[in-house]
Structure formats: structure tokens, C-alpha cells
Amino acid sequence: QVHLEESGGGLVQTGGSLRLSCATPGRPISDFTMGWFRHAPGREREFVACIVWSGYSTYYGDSVLGRFTISRDNAKNTVNLQMDNLKPEDTAVYYCTASESRIATRPGDYWGNGTLVTVSS
């Protein structure tokens, strides 16, 4: 049973930056392909980013490509999402996700409880 813990959400103005983190206490994060999804009221859940178990490949949703960066810190057992040039349409609850599949590009087997990101105009 995998437990995911997100942190780093908050309020930011348009054009600002936030850094989200996700921890997997009790398991090495290198065991998993890790990702981020987001869900805003009135919209469907949206894929944001993924980093495979090896850290060699990353994938991004079209709406965040070039603005968001996903990375691993295996020594600290965390996965991070650096969000730059934020826009009001980025406002959502952001969820850390994980999969033990080596071929997963949209990991969704395990989910955290989410952290709220609000971007003001």
C-alpha cells in the first residue's frame, strides 16, 4: 500500500512560480514512475507531467509544456514539480501519482490527497 504526500501549494499571481513536492514515506521513490495530475472545478481531470522510474524520460501535457518541469531527488526521496509563468487557468488541485509499471506514461495506480494551487489575475 503506497502513501503519497504532496506539499507546496498556495496562492501566486499571474506570471509567478511555485514548486510542489511529493514524498513516498516507507518506499524508495525510485521504485515508481511518478506523475502529476490536476483537477479544477467544472473541468475534467487533466494530465500534467510524468517522470519514469529511471528518471531518463519525462512527459508533459500540452497546456504546461515549456512552463512546468518534473524532476526526482532520489536522495531525499521526493518528486518535484517546478511551475513557472503561472496562469489563472493553472488554478486547480494538484495530485501526485505513482505506478510500478515500467511502461506507464500516465501513472495513476496510487494517488495523494492533493494540494491546491490558486493563480490570481
Side-chain angles (χ1 to χ4, degrees):
Q1 189 63 53
V2 177
H3 179 209
L4 307 179
E5 298 179 346
E6 304 103 329
S7 62
L11 301 173
V12 66
Q13 65 183 8
T14 297
S17 297
L18 284 174
R19 184 177 177 88
L20 307 183
S21 295
C22 178
T24 59
R27 294 283 297 276
I29 203 165
S30 59
D31 282 355
F32 306 102
T33 292
M34 303 293 298
W36 293 90
F37 286 76
R38 66 188 184 186
H39 194 187
R43 307 211 308 255
E44 293 187 347
R45 187 179 63 197
E46 180 183 18
F47 169 73
V48 175
C50 171
I51 184 164
V52 302
W53 67 273
S54 66
Y56 295 159
S57 298
T58 57
Y59 304 88
Y60 295 93
D62 289 343
S63 63
V64 306
L65 185 65
R67 299 188 297 118
F68 291 11
T69 304
I70 189 171
S71 62
R72 291 179 180 269
D73 187 337
N74 288 345
K76 295 184 177 181
N77 216 38
T78 61
V79 63
N80 304 302
L81 184 70
Q82 177 67 41
M83 305 184 293
D84 297 320
N85 193 23
L86 284 160
K87 305 174 181 179
E89 51 263 44
D90 295 319
T91 296
V93 176
Y94 284 71
Y95 297 91
C96 179
T97 67
S99 175
E100 297 181 41
S101 172
R102 289 290 190 265
I103 63 172
T105 58
R106 301 292 187 272
D109 296 332
Y110 309 108
W111 289 70
N113 290 324
T115 185
L116 178 63
V117 172
T118 303
V119 184
S120 64
S121 60

